[in-house]
Amino acid sequence: MTHAYAEDYLNDAMQNLGEAFDYAVNACKIDIEEFMQYFIVGRYAEQFGNGNPKIISGMSGTELAMNIISESGKNMDFPESQTVYDYSAEYWCGWILAYYQWYTARSFKNIYDYISMKEVYKLYPTLHEAPEDKFADTANAIISRKIGTTALQAQRKRTGLTQAQLAAKANVNLRTLQQYELGTKSINKASVQTVMALCNALGCKAEDILEYI
């Protein structure tokens, strides 16, 4: 998996986007969807996603939120900057969104095309204490369902193989193959041997069946 930027910056990025969402929603009283739209329409989302150090670690999350809101043209008197965050649901939404964008290297706009912030918010009760990659798997599955097919499924259909035929040809468990195709199990976490066996059976490259590379 090729990440959006060096992992050294990831912790700062997650904290800052978490703080930005917390400040925008809880201090500035801006709807979480509205703030996300401000973010992706302006210049900050692309720079954040590309790992610009000035954006992901050179300013606080509150400063980032203020800049995003100001850039949107919304006229408001900003509440005082917060110094302590209680890891609210809104904080978690920004925090996990930063992780998912880094993990998949998808743009924030592309992610938002398929998953709204309210959908992310609804995952907070069950996933906020889970490992970050659990959210990534869940988000991948949601996107795959909305797109209607995974890269692996599309590649298999192009070859004319059934799931059973591919499973036998690649010596991969049929149930596991079905989970990869549905996106309920991430093929990006499959062993190198499994990925290569599927590629050999399909006559394709790894990037043809992995997701979001």
Side-chain angles (χ1 to χ4, degrees):
M1 174 69 71
T2 301
H3 297 302
Y5 48 86
E7 190 171 0
D8 293 346
Y9 290 108
L10 180 58
N11 188 57
D12 282 350
M14 293 172 69
Q15 288 182 358
N16 279 353
L17 199 58
E19 290 179 8
F21 270 85
D22 188 291
Y23 178 78
V25 177
N26 294 318
C28 299
K29 307 304 179 185
I30 296 174
D31 180 79
I32 194 168
E33 298 291 1
E34 183 181 356
F35 180 67
M36 181 62 175
Q37 289 161 12
Y38 292 161
F39 181 45
I40 62 174
V41 168
R43 60 193 172 95
Y44 287 97
E46 183 177 358
Q47 293 187 54
F48 194 107
N50 290 334
N52 184 334
K54 293 181 180 179
I55 306 300
I56 62 176
S57 62
M59 63 177 70
S60 69
T62 298
E63 290 171 330
L64 176 61
M66 289 177 174
N67 287 337
I68 291 169
I69 295 166
S70 295
E71 187 183 51
S72 75
K74 187 177 181 68
N75 187 19
M76 67 176 299
D77 294 324
F78 289 111
E80 269 195 52
S81 299
Q82 295 175 248
T83 56
V84 177
Y85 290 85
D86 295 326
Y87 203 69
S88 66
E90 292 79 13
Y91 179 100
W92 180 82
C93 287
W95 182 84
I96 201 65
L97 180 64
Y99 173 82
Y100 185 65
Q101 188 278 326
W102 170 84
Y103 179 79
T104 62
R106 298 171 73 101
S107 70
F108 286 105
K109 182 182 183 306
N110 184 268
I111 294 168
Y112 191 60
D113 283 341
Y114 297 104
I115 304 179
S116 70
M117 291 310 298
K118 288 180 180 176
E119 287 177 291
V120 175
Y121 189 93
K122 287 180 181 178
L123 295 172
Y124 172 78
T126 54
L127 293 181
H128 74 281
E129 293 183 345
E132 292 89 344
D133 58 0
K134 179 65 176 175
F135 173 86
D137 288 345
T138 302
N140 284 347
I142 291 171
I143 292 175
S144 292
R145 286 196 298 271
K146 290 184 178 181
I147 291 174
T149 187
T150 57
L152 174 61
Q153 185 181 64
Q155 190 67 34
R156 176 182 61 77
K157 288 183 175 180
R158 279 194 287 270
T159 66
L161 294 173
T162 65
Q163 288 181 332
Q165 288 170 332
L166 176 57
K169 192 174 181 180
N171 194 28
V172 173
N173 179 273
L174 177 58
R175 177 59 183 152
T176 299
L177 174 63
Q178 291 169 337
Q179 289 174 322
Y180 288 149
E181 287 203 358
L182 287 171
T184 56
K185 190 171 186 177
S186 175
I187 193 171
N188 293 351
K189 293 183 178 180
S191 68
V192 173
Q193 291 85 354
T194 296
V195 172
M196 294 313 301
L198 289 167
C199 288
N200 290 335
L202 292 167
C204 67
K205 298 178 181 178
E207 53 262 38
D208 295 326
I209 63 172
L210 295 177
E211 296 294 327
Y212 317 137
I213 295 179

